[in-house]
Amino acid sequence: MKKIAVFTSGGDSPGMNACIRAVVRTALHEGLAAAGICRGYQGFIDGDMYDMDHHSVSNIIQQGGTILRSARCAEFRTPEGRRKAYENLAKFGIDGIVAIGGDGTFTGAHIFMQEYPDIKFVGCPGTIDNDLMGTDYTIGYDTAINTAMEAIDKIRDTASAHDRLFFIEVMGRDAGFIAMAAGISTGAEAILVPETHTDIEGLIEKLEWGWKNKKNSSIVVVAEGDEAGGAHKIAEMVKARLDHYEIKVSILGHIQRGGRPTCMERVRASRMGAAATRALIEGKSNVMIGIVNNEIVYTPFGQCIKHQQMDSNLVEMVDLLS
Ligand code: ATP
């Protein structure tokens, strides 16, 4: 292996820069050349790539976003697009690639390697949703849940001052891990996630109980993909039945994707980036790096699908504590 490139793809997440830095510095340390590819697979097709040295990744570990930009690229799904990508990689002398992204990014890499086996890919899980098989943590999750927690703490202050009921929507189209962590850490009265059936009657009973027991605020955290609807729709359903509450809705939105990565985020992203580079050098490919029980593990791309299992103990605990 002579030159290792790194790119970020799919939804961006805080900590991607720490991972990029680790890939570049590990490759250089091992005597290889390093490169960055911009805007996900679009940069492969457009030849938007550049050589990186030690200083290319200076002073980025604390920054959110990704210095390489990210994108979704329809053309890479076509054989013609992947041929253009291959030609550009060959021209640039790239023979190993660290892909930082989600399951779609790894599927693209897997297909590409079947067509062009001389280029090797290893993945690092980059998504705020923490919903990939093969790792306890994805890059971005820890920062996203801390951002959501801080925002909800602030909303709790104003909710208590006015005896209000807030429905707060957090990110998670298919997964409720952000909602669960943000909700538990802020003492939410209820947490609604796509993985479990949302019982509106039960929710109303619980909120009614809170009212009767003189709770001076209530917070319901809703994952955006909850099957009963988003926070607005669920708030409307509840409002129709609980007119004594003043009900407000807050959608946290994209603030959950940005911001300075937390300490653990930077540490884990650095570990994964370094491990991915070493894995390529050792001849591994077609695998995603993960951290399971604090150990680095390798999971074949084909198995890095999204998982939807929510720890049932957590779900029970939410009911018990609220
Ligand atoms: P996120 O979890 O943030 O959605 P992701 O990596 O799953 O991240 P996707 O948009 O699903 O994001 O995939 C990223 C890119 O990977 C796509 O824009 C496309 O270029 C490529 N890709 C995804 N699936 C395929 C596929 N079946 N064939 C070829 N390329 C693919």
Side-chain angles (χ1 to χ4, degrees):
M1 186 144 299
K2 292 197 178 74
K3 190 188 274 190
I4 291 183
V6 57
F7 74 108
T8 49
S9 170
D12 64 304
S13 59
M16 282 182 160
N17 281 328
C19 190
I20 293 168
R21 173 178 175 271
V23 172
V24 170
R25 297 245 163 116
T26 307
L28 295 174
H29 176 80
E30 297 296 335
L32 304 182
I37 305 174
C38 301
R39 294 176 299 110
Y41 286 119
Q42 195 61 51
F44 285 58
I45 290 169
D46 299 343
D48 190 0
M49 44 191 83
Y50 62 101
D51 287 326
M52 296 179 99
D53 63 17
H54 200 83
H55 295 299
S56 310
V57 290
S58 294
N59 207 16
I60 65 167
I61 194 167
Q62 76 279 24
Q63 293 172 20
T66 157
I67 60 163
L68 294 175
R69 312 283 184 269
S70 189
R72 302 191 198 270
C73 172
E75 202 181 346
F76 194 77
R77 294 174 186 268
T78 66
E80 300 74 41
R82 293 193 292 273
R83 186 180 44 74
K84 279 191 219 164
Y86 177 75
E87 285 167 6
N88 283 322
L89 295 172
K91 215 186 295 170
F92 218 71
I94 292 167
D95 45 5
I97 300 179
V98 175
I100 309 172
D103 60 336
T105 300
F106 303 147
T107 303
H110 179 69
I111 292 169
F112 185 87
M113 270 185 291
Q114 284 174 334
E115 294 168 347
Y116 303 105
D118 49 324
I119 300 199
K120 312 290 184 201
F121 282 73
V122 167
C124 288
T127 163
I128 60 171
D129 292 328
N130 209 34
D131 60 348
L132 287 176
M133 297 289 285
T135 189
D136 291 344
Y137 309 102
T138 57
I139 297 169
Y141 176 64
D142 192 56
T143 308
I145 58 179
N146 277 286
T147 301
M149 180 187 76
E150 283 173 28
I152 296 170
D153 281 347
K154 289 174 183 165
I155 292 171
R156 175 75 84 176
D157 290 346
T158 172
S160 307
H162 292 275
D163 295 335
R164 281 177 177 154
L165 162 59
F166 264 86
F167 286 82
I168 303 175
E169 187 175 295
V170 298
M171 282 189 164
R173 270 198 306 266
D174 309 310
F177 299 104
I178 294 177
M180 200 47 94
I184 290 172
S185 62
T186 53
E189 276 61 34
I191 303 170
L192 311 182
V193 294
E195 291 87 345
T196 59
H197 169 67
T198 293
D199 169 14
I200 297 290
E201 286 304 316
L203 175 65
I204 290 170
E205 266 173 40
K206 184 184 261 192
L207 294 169
E208 193 78 89
W209 180 89
W211 177 262
K212 284 184 185 142
N213 285 278
K214 305 209 175 338
K215 277 194 180 230
N216 64 1
S217 67
S218 288
I219 299 278
V220 179
V221 176
V222 184
E224 63 181 325
D226 186 74
E227 83 286 356
H232 279 293
K233 188 171 169 202
I234 296 171
E236 282 306 316
M237 288 191 263
V238 172
K239 208 177 220 166
R241 303 273 303 279
L242 285 185
D243 52 2
H244 43 266
Y245 261 121
E246 190 182 349
I247 296 181
K248 297 280 177 195
V249 175
S250 179
I251 313 286
L252 297 191
H254 281 79
I255 61 164
Q256 294 160 93
R257 281 199 185 280
R260 293 162 66 86
T262 63
C263 175
M264 284 315 296
E265 199 84 83
R266 300 178 200 190
V267 172
R268 290 182 192 132
S270 299
R271 282 181 73 192
M272 290 198 231
T277 311
R278 289 198 200 289
L280 279 171
I281 294 167
E282 286 163 10
K284 293 189 177 72
S285 68
N286 213 8
V287 291
M288 182 194 82
I289 300 294
I291 297 179
V292 174
N293 295 331
N294 208 26
E295 299 280 338
I296 292 287
V297 297
Y298 310 89
T299 303
F301 280 155
Q303 292 171 24
C304 297
I305 48 169
K306 293 194 175 197
H307 69 96
Q308 301 241 310
Q309 267 187 339
M310 181 64 67
D311 181 348
S312 58
N313 293 322
L314 281 185
V315 178
E316 280 168 27
M317 196 184 76
V318 172
D319 274 338
L320 186 116
L321 298 183
S322 63

